[in-house]
Amino acid sequence: MVGETMNHKTQVQGGLRQGAIALLLFLLLIGGMVFNFSGQTSWRKPFPVENLAALRDLRDTGLTLPGWENEGQAQLNVGGREWSVQAAAQRGQRTAIVMILPQWGPKEMPGVEWSDIDGFFRWNREGERSLSFTTTNPPTTVQARYFLARDTAATKVVPHRQTVAVLQWYATPNGGNPSAGWWFWRDQWAQVRRQRIPWVAVSLRFPIDPSSTLEDVEGDILPLAEAVQEAIAQIMLTP
């Protein structure tokens, strides 16, 4: 009787293992079908990114930001890649620094941009959290990386040390997020529909008083963030 019970238990376990293997093979088959349906055989032949040439031009021209005066723009090598750096000013506000790294080619993926920026400025970060905002033209929702930073040394961008509020995200036509994975899975799904999701890394540097908090300056930095997101999304969505 005991032997029959053990034999039955062994058969059940074997059946479960076979079922798990069959399920795995089925998922791999479905994945292969989706991959083939996308029309891609490898990352060597990705679908084209619309308006990629216009995004590349941003490294030379920077952004046109309604309501903000462009006080100068240049390219800056950060982490081996050329960023657009421009000074944006508004009456009654301190001059902010807008840094953007547009996608350069259809194979390029985001991933180390925030580490590169952190390493370039060598700042001490405090109170990092998420900050969400929306735009209306076009309608998008962005979740950004938001923190206070104190410079530890002067740089080519800023000749003297400052305390700044920093806002960072990957801008896309329909929103933004500081996570490279957020972009990756949306781009993968878009490829199933023979489309792509362009991206631009955005890092805003907004000077503040050393005694200020993130909450104190949130209302000052958000209008700039909204203007940047709208400008990038409009370029991406232009036919």
Side-chain angles (χ1 to χ4, degrees):
M1 185 72 175
V2 174
E4 292 178 357
T5 301
M6 293 181 64
N7 186 43
H8 177 70
K9 183 177 181 181
T10 301
Q11 291 177 350
V12 171
Q13 291 176 340
L16 291 174
R17 282 195 298 268
Q18 292 178 356
I21 293 173
L23 178 60
L24 177 60
L25 292 174
F26 176 76
L27 292 175
L28 290 174
L29 176 62
I30 293 298
M33 291 172 62
V34 171
F35 189 74
N36 291 330
F37 176 74
S38 71
Q40 284 187 256
T41 56
S42 73
W43 272 99
R44 292 176 298 176
K45 296 181 180 180
F47 292 118
V49 177
E50 291 188 12
N51 299 326
L52 187 58
L55 294 181
R56 288 173 174 170
D57 289 343
L58 290 178
R59 296 193 184 185
D60 297 319
T61 64
L63 294 167
T64 300
L65 304 173
W68 295 81
E69 182 180 351
N70 184 359
E71 294 190 340
Q73 187 273 341
Q75 289 190 15
L76 179 70
N77 188 291
V78 178
R81 291 184 294 175
E82 297 298 323
W83 288 68
S84 166
V85 180
Q86 69 185 91
Q90 194 175 49
R91 181 177 298 179
Q93 298 288 350
R94 299 180 182 180
T95 299
I97 300 297
V98 178
M99 299 183 65
I100 59 173
L101 180 70
Q103 181 179 6
W104 188 254
K107 293 182 182 179
E108 189 177 26
M109 297 184 291
V112 297
E113 288 69 31
W114 314 144
S115 296
D116 288 343
I117 293 292
D118 288 352
F120 178 82
F121 284 111
R122 291 177 293 173
W123 48 31
N124 292 324
R125 293 190 288 113
E126 301 175 16
E128 181 175 330
R129 63 181 178 86
S130 294
L131 180 63
S132 297
F133 63 91
T134 60
T135 64
T136 57
N137 185 28
T140 67
T141 298
V142 173
Q143 181 179 344
R145 180 188 189 215
Y146 187 43
F147 59 90
L148 186 148
R150 304 185 193 276
D151 294 332
T152 59
T155 66
K156 295 178 181 178
V157 176
V158 182
H160 54 278
R161 293 186 295 176
Q162 293 179 328
T163 299
V164 295
V166 179
L167 203 61
Q168 298 174 328
W169 74 97
Y170 294 110
T172 74
N174 301 309
N177 194 282
S179 168
W182 177 90
W183 168 85
F184 176 80
W185 290 113
R186 282 161 178 76
D187 186 62
Q188 290 293 295
W189 177 243
Q191 290 184 52
V192 173
R193 294 171 281 128
R194 300 180 179 273
Q195 298 174 358
R196 296 297 304 278
I197 303 294
W199 60 272
V200 173
V202 179
S203 183
L204 305 184
R205 177 190 170 104
F206 198 91
I208 62 175
D209 292 327
S211 60
S212 296
T213 66
L214 291 176
E215 289 74 18
D216 292 337
V217 297
E218 186 175 308
D220 296 326
I221 196 173
L222 280 180
L224 177 60
E226 293 164 5
V228 169
Q229 171 67 21
E230 287 189 351
I232 292 173
Q234 287 170 8
I235 292 172
M236 292 175 170
L237 294 171
T238 300

